[in-house]
Amino acid sequence: MYEMDLLDNTEIVNKLLARYGVKFGIYKNNEFKEQLFPFDAIPRIIRREEFSYLEKGLKQRVVALNLFLEDIYHNKNIVKDKIIPEDFIFASSGYMPECEGVTPVKKIYSHISGIDLVKGKDGKWYILEDNLRVPSGASYPMIARELCRRSSPKTFRDNSLEDNRNYAQLLRKTLDYVNVGGHTVILTPGRYNAAYFEHSYLAEKTGAHLVNGNELTVENDKLYYVDYTGKKERVGAVYRRISDEYLDPMNFNPESVIGIPHIYDVYRKGNVALINATGNGIADDKGIYYFVPKMIRYYLKEEPVLSNAPTYLPFYKEDMSYVLAHFNDLVLKDVAEAGGYGVVFGNSMSREQKEQFIALLKSEPRRFIAQEIIDFQDLDIQEGVEAVARKADLRAFVLMADEPYVWKSGLTRFSRNPDSFIVNSSQGGGFKDTWVLSH
């Protein structure tokens, strides 16, 4: 379906991506290093009917997760009805007591959700994790598609696929829907953030102001943008790309130098929208992930359309017994880690490592989940003049405004290591375009 000139221009596309600064940064050993996010021109292709199925399941999941967040910071019915154990909620590092009783504008908590899926060799899609705090990655397929269109216009004339350039319009609609009056801004920690390219790119595409904490100020329970002349203008919505704990030094981490003092007080009074809401980390917790199918049944009275990967909670005695009996067949994940960190495969450990890990597991059972290793599909990538198979996942983006919208594209990440299931950019992975066929 794709033209050879598209593949032949892969190197040119990657050079353009480098020129435009399409990089990600990582901190390692107290040093900040930027590196390119390698692009592969062989697209992942999803047929229209298959994407419609994904769309239905993704909408269902995000609606249930929003209802869970509203419930857990207010009435806690899901705890009272013993669907999720109380100590499982409050022991989570993602739970924020400061968010108790605080209702975001229009009761939307996760305006932008990044849901990671894999397709098994059985042809079935599985949800691997939910990202409801500050999910990133939409900008990469956006700019890659733009550059691919330039390098091989014939490919895009000859194939009927959904145009992914509408993400900016969907995002702007999402931001405007909760804006309480005033400018919409994208709050960045600055150019040394891992996703700074995305912050600036989305600001350009949506027409929002790209600002840092020094350009925002609170006065009389309102938030203002201060331009270079000193002029102040009201801000009604903040698409913040900084973590909860650094957002407001007066309410969260007092050592933060990138946040805005008292912005959380303005938010609590309903005078500004924060996108995404604070406190969403409880829904990102890999332990809470185990309960999402139960949430869907509880809040929506529906059966889940999409399945979780088969998951076990060592927190439960029977699950701990299963994990210990099948240790070599499982992948174990630290519930608070992200970016491919804190993931270990039972079959890759030495005897001594297993003994140490099992001792840790028994002493801190709430800290880990265990999952069956899904043999997910390989996708072809170019390596020199050859096509070689590598593991790949899909981050789908669901935006919540008057209703949930699933972007008809997504970020397909792949491992460049033939023996690895870890596809994260921070672990050396690359990305490719995701084509959703229109008919």
Side-chain angles (χ1 to χ4, degrees), residues 381-413:
I381 69 165
Q382 275 185 288
E383 200 167 83
V385 295
E386 291 185 293
V388 296
R390 294 289 183 269
K391 298 298 180 190
D393 77 350
L394 171 66
R395 174 164 291 182
F397 292 88
V398 185
L399 293 91
M400 181 75 81
D402 53 329
E403 60 179 289
Y405 296 90
V406 180
W407 183 36
K408 291 183 178 176
S409 184
L411 175 65
T412 292
R413 300 173 296 182

Side-chain angles (χ1 to χ4, degrees), residues 301-322:
K301 307 296 187 277
E302 298 171 0
E303 281 301 307
V305 174
L306 292 167
S307 300
N308 278 8
T311 305
Y312 306 94
L313 286 185
F315 177 83
Y316 292 125
K317 273 186 182 178
E318 60 272 27
D319 282 21
M320 175 69 88
S321 298
Y322 182 90

Side-chain angles (χ1 to χ4, degrees), residues 10 13-14 17 22-24 35-41 140 144 381-382 411-414 416 423-433:
T10 300
V13 171
N14 271 293
L17 290 171
V22 184
K23 300 176 181 177
F24 65 92
Q35 58 193 69
L36 295 174
F37 194 6
F39 173 71
D40 182 76
Y140 300 116
I381 69 165
Q382 275 185 288
L411 175 65
T412 292
R413 300 173 296 182
F414 61 86
R416 290 192 288 166
V423 301
N424 303 72
S425 55
S426 55
Q427 304 284 307
F431 80 103
K432 53 173 68 219
D433 198 358

